[in-house]
């Protein structure tokens, strides 16, 4: 199964950051799961937000772009 379920916060972040979203679409399913699992496993909202931000920053870096402030 190649489908990777995302928590709503991660989906919204990808929608808000086209560069990160473009990198996301090029990732293999395994790589997507590597980003999605730590976000989904965060039980505290603040931790989840932090993991979403870290993931978006990493995707930006993979694109060779400066991460959003």
């Amino acid at each position: 199964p190649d489908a990777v379920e995302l928590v709503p916060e991660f989906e919204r972040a990808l929608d808000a950051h086209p560069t990160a979203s473009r990198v996301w679409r090029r990732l293999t399913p395994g790589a997507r799961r590597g980003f999605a699992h730590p976000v989904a496993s965060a039980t505290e909202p603040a931790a989840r937000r932090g993991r979403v931000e870290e993931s978006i920053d990493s995707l930006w870096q993979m694109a060779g772009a400066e991460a959003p402030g």
Side-chain angles (χ1 to χ4, degrees):
D2 289 344
V4 177
E5 291 204 27
L6 296 176
V7 296
E9 296 92 334
F10 201 175
E11 287 187 49
R12 285 191 297 271
L14 286 170
D15 288 343
H17 298 284
T19 299
S21 181
R22 187 171 54 251
V23 172
W24 175 262
R25 289 190 304 269
R26 291 193 311 244
L27 294 176
T28 64
R32 288 181 183 182
R33 281 190 288 278
F35 278 98
H37 177 72
V39 174
S41 66
T43 56
E44 296 292 324
R48 185 174 280 186
R49 282 191 302 274
R51 291 179 187 182
V52 167
E53 290 174 13
E54 290 171 3
S55 294
I56 294 297
D57 287 351
S58 293
L59 290 167
W60 271 73
Q61 290 174 7
M62 291 171 73
E66 185 174 325

